């Protein structure tokens, strides 16, 4: 890592992780919001998307708050996730971690988000809020 403090951007939209059967395709519009992801293994299909978009009856975990590392990050950057995760381990906050081509993301349980932000700030990270980026059907 560089000597510059790591900058995290906290998105306000609640996200969930949905579990589908192996090879299944989501039958809803899951690609909205600040972060959306579809992952497949031989045992499951997982979808990360806005909580409001998942139909009733789908197995989900969450809600989570998405936290984006200001990027782009170099592929040879070392220690980014450790810098994010180590302060949270000390206060027993579990997260889900994701990488995209340009940056890293963590999903923090919504009920732990305020504590996570405070812990990161005490550890010297910069944490800023972002504006709503997803569709809001209210």
């Amino acid at each position: 890592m560089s000597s510059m403090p790591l900058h995290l951007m906290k998105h306000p939209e609640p996200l969930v992780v949905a579990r589908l059967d192996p090879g299944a395709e989501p039958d809803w519009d899951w690609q909205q919001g600040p972060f959306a992801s579809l992952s497949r293994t031989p045992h499951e299909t997982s979808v990360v998307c806005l909580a409001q978009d998942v139909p009733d009856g789908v197995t989900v975990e969450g809600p989570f708050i998405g936290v984006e590392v200001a990027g782009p990050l170099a592929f040879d950057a070392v220690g980014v996730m450790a810098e994010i995760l180590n302060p949270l381990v000390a206060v027993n906050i579990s997260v889900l971690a994701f990488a995209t081509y340009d940056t890293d993301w963590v999903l923090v349980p919504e009920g732990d988000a305020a504590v996570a932000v405070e812990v990161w700030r005490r550890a010297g990270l910069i944490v800023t809020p972002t504006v709503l980026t997803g569709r809001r059907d209210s």
Side-chain angles (χ1 to χ4, degrees):
M1 287 297 310
S2 74
S3 60
M4 296 286 297
L6 198 58
H7 179 190
L8 304 178
M9 299 177 297
K10 179 180 168 276
H11 293 267
E13 303 91 338
L15 302 169
V16 293
V17 180
R19 186 190 190 286
L20 304 175
D21 290 333
E25 290 289 331
D27 61 358
W28 69 89
D29 184 9
W30 60 273
Q31 298 179 42
Q32 304 298 313
F35 183 80
S37 177
L38 185 136
S39 301
R40 289 190 169 93
T41 73
H43 308 288
E44 65 169 309
T45 298
S46 292
V47 181
V48 178
C49 64
L50 289 172
Q52 69 186 25
D53 290 342
V54 180
D56 290 340
V58 175
T59 301
V60 298
E61 286 291 330
F64 298 95
I65 296 299
V67 180
E68 174 184 6
V69 179
L73 299 174
F75 269 87
D76 61 354
V78 175
V80 173
M81 290 309 289
E83 191 171 349
I84 294 167
L85 299 180
N86 286 340
L88 299 182
V89 169
V91 295
N92 205 33
I93 294 177
S94 177
V95 301
L96 300 172
F98 294 86
T100 67
Y101 189 91
D102 284 340
T103 193
D104 293 331
W105 285 76
V106 292
L107 303 185
V108 179
E110 188 174 52
D112 294 330
V115 172
V117 167
E118 183 56 36
V119 167
W120 283 325
R121 287 182 175 150
R122 282 197 312 256
L125 283 69
I126 297 167
V127 185
T128 58
T130 63
V131 298
L132 289 174
T133 56
R135 186 184 76 247
R136 303 301 279 186
D137 297 328
S138 4

